[in-house]
Amino acid sequence: MLPVTFTSNMKLSNYSLKQLLTGTAFVLFSTLIYSCQSSPAEQKLPILGSREPVERSVDGKTIVDTVYHQIPDFAFVDQDSQQVTQETVAGKIYVTDFFFTTCPSICPKMKNQMLRIYEKYKDNPNVVILSHTIDPEHDTVAVLKDYAERMNVTAAKWHFLTGDRDSIYDMALKYFIGVQEDSEAEGGFAHSGDFMLVDHNRHIRGHYHGTEQEDVDRLMQDMDILLKELQDEKK
Amino acid sequence: MKKSRLVTGFLGLMALTTLTQCFTDKQNQGQKLYAQNCQSCHMDDGSGLRGLIPPIAKADYLQTHRDELACLIRHGADGPMIVNGIEYNKEMPGAHQLGPDEITNLLNYIQTSFGNNNPRYTLTEVTQMLEACPVPYEAH
């Protein structure tokens, strides 16, 4: 973003306090301008993924629609042995991630952050959380139930999903989340700690680093924007 | 000219950060070990994960099981465990690679951070504890 060039004759002893201050002030100032660009209230979230123009004809005229990347239908089972499908999230927005219960590396932090989202939106009927296990062999319904109960979260709001291994891995791709079995990785699986925000049309509207508090703050701001969009559309 | 000032500013900041980091690293081996080995589960502030991973911060366990902690860190834990009145039951992996000196620093760090204010350990004390770790651990 900023032009930074290093010249070989620059020496460390060259700089004065004044120069340091000018530099810092400049950085602070540009951050300020950057962050003031738009107020969250009027913001509209982008739709992520590929888009394709599709032509159709109405009364002899050609109309071009844009078809956005959409999460396909799915069917998994949650910690209460309930089927969870696209119907479960119909008319709602949801946050989703991929994890496994025995993961020693990034999952505890992801779950800690997801708990913040759960606590903030647990009474909002328009919000759902879907956490998919990428280790369905170990993470059976019983294991997920124990996990959720210990965290004291309800299945009505936060579904821990298990199911056919291949279907889960295929779904991860649809959410653009990288997952793979990897004996080299801690716990035997490699995956990203992303949280994806999906709207009521099953379009992906944002992705966030699920292990970072600031990024999850941003996610919750975006959720409010999306909830407002949902409200406006329902009117 | 403006450009070079900016660059010097950046370099200055970078040098400062590096310097401070060097100092703190040397001083707080315990803190560094915590960040490397424990923080992913017990969190930056020692709060753990609700219902699943017990807290280090203000945990009664640190006092009531003081003499078992060296073995717990080296060999891990599983099975039910009650911390501050809540039952946990999940596996904690052992940090087998840590030597007695490192475990001492780590223990002293957790006993005196996150709002804890418990007595410190000596290296002799920790070495003795590690030599006397319960037999079932051997199987691991």
Side-chain angles (χ1 to χ4, degrees):
Chain A
M1 195 173 77
L2 294 165
V4 181
T5 44
F6 292 88
T7 46
S8 55
N9 60 351
M10 290 213 22
K11 287 215 203 84
L12 272 171
S13 55
N14 266 349
Y15 52 81
S16 63
L17 184 66
K18 201 173 146 205
Q19 281 171 322
L20 195 130
L21 284 177
T22 330
T24 322
F26 188 82
V27 175
L28 283 177
F29 189 64
S30 29
T31 329
L32 201 73
I33 295 186
Y34 184 72
S35 56
C36 287
Q37 262 172 355
S38 50
S39 69
E42 308 144 12
Q43 222 172 305
K44 193 148 164 61
L45 304 175
I47 295 176
L48 306 185
S50 62
R51 54 196 62 194
E52 280 166 33
V54 172
E55 295 185 354
R56 63 188 166 108
S57 63
V58 177
D59 302 333
K61 285 182 200 154
T62 316
I63 296 182
V64 183
D65 289 332
T66 310
V67 175
Y68 293 96
H69 174 79
Q70 192 184 33
I71 300 303
D73 291 356
F74 56 88
F76 297 115
V77 183
D78 75 5
Q79 69 268 38
D80 281 354
S81 302
Q82 298 295 311
Q83 284 280 323
V84 172
T85 68
Q86 67 283 353
E87 290 303 324
T88 316
V89 294
K92 300 168 195 257
I93 70 167
Y94 66 97
V95 180
T96 191
D97 70 350
F98 290 76
F99 85 114
F100 56 111
T101 61
T102 52
C103 151
S105 50
I106 56 175
C107 306
K109 286 205 169 151
M110 291 167 69
K111 289 292 157 281
N112 214 23
Q113 292 301 324
M114 199 65 101
L115 263 175
R116 292 175 60 217
I117 299 173
Y118 174 86
E119 287 301 330
K120 181 165 177 199
Y121 296 98
K122 66 177 172 198
D123 298 321
N124 188 327
N126 292 322
V127 176
V128 176
I129 302 172
L130 304 183
S131 285
H132 306 72
T133 177
I134 54 169
D135 185 9
E137 212 170 302
H138 176 271
D139 291 342
T140 56
V141 168
V143 169
L144 293 177
K145 188 166 181 62
D146 180 66
Y147 194 85
E149 274 179 358
R150 285 180 186 274
M151 249 199 304
N152 195 18
V153 300
T154 74
K157 170 68 59 190
W158 188 347
H159 302 273
F160 288 90
L161 303 177
T162 185
D164 174 52
R165 183 200 166 280
D166 290 344
S167 314
I168 295 172
Y169 281 63
D170 283 348
M171 272 319 276
L173 289 180
K174 303 287 188 223
Y175 289 111
F176 307 121
I177 293 184
V179 294
Q180 106 193 62
E181 282 175 20
D182 180 355
S183 52
E184 306 267 292
E186 266 186 282
F189 298 86
H191 64 119
S192 84
D194 289 331
F195 287 175
M196 296 312 227
L197 176 59
V198 186
D199 72 12
H200 52 288
N201 296 317
R202 279 186 276 145
H203 292 143
I204 301 175
R205 304 298 292 272
H207 80 107
Y208 314 83
H209 301 292
T211 52
E212 289 167 23
Q213 170 141 354
E214 296 79 36
D215 223 31
V216 174
D217 289 346
R218 181 169 70 88
L219 166 56
M220 291 196 281
Q221 281 166 14
D222 285 359
M223 286 172 75
D224 291 338
I225 297 171
L226 208 53
L227 281 168
K228 190 167 175 300
E229 186 181 310
L230 182 67
Q231 292 268 300
D232 291 348
E233 222 166 278
K234 276 186 179 171
K235 269 179 204 162
Chain B
M1 251 322 40
K2 204 175 167 192
K3 214 178 193 176
S4 76
R5 275 191 188 178
L6 223 146
V7 176
T8 13
F10 266 126
L11 281 178
L13 278 177
M14 270 163 58
L16 251 164
T17 346
T18 325
L19 268 177
T20 25
Q21 261 172 6
C22 284
F23 277 116
T24 35
D25 277 4
K26 274 257 179 292
Q27 268 170 7
N28 299 320
Q29 189 191 38
Q31 183 178 30
K32 200 172 149 196
L33 289 171
Y34 181 83
Q36 285 168 348
N37 299 287
C38 325
Q39 191 167 298
S40 65
C41 285
H42 291 284
M43 305 294 151
D44 311 17
D45 59 357
S47 61
L49 175 60
R50 189 163 97 192
L52 291 167
I53 298 170
I56 302 282
K58 310 237 173 78
D60 57 0
Y61 200 93
L62 294 192
Q63 285 169 291
T64 54
H65 293 74
R66 176 184 162 85
D67 293 345
E68 295 156 30
L69 298 183
C71 294
L72 183 143
I73 289 176
R74 175 169 282 179
H75 299 285
D78 58 22
M81 157 185 300
I82 293 174
V83 182
N84 294 347
I86 295 168
E87 194 212 77
Y88 297 86
N89 188 359
K90 214 170 147 45
E91 200 183 315
M92 164 169 151
H96 305 277
Q97 75 284 6
L98 300 182
D101 50 334
E102 290 170 309
I103 293 183
T104 310
N105 283 336
L106 186 53
L107 277 173
N108 287 337
Y109 174 71
I110 63 173
Q111 291 284 19
T112 57
S113 308
F114 315 121
N116 298 335
N117 194 8
N118 302 325
R120 301 170 70 89
Y121 297 76
T122 62
L123 176 58
T124 328
E125 205 183 347
V126 170
T127 311
Q128 277 165 5
M129 287 172 185
L130 288 172
E131 277 162 9
C133 284
V135 182
Y137 282 139
E138 306 293 313
H140 280 228

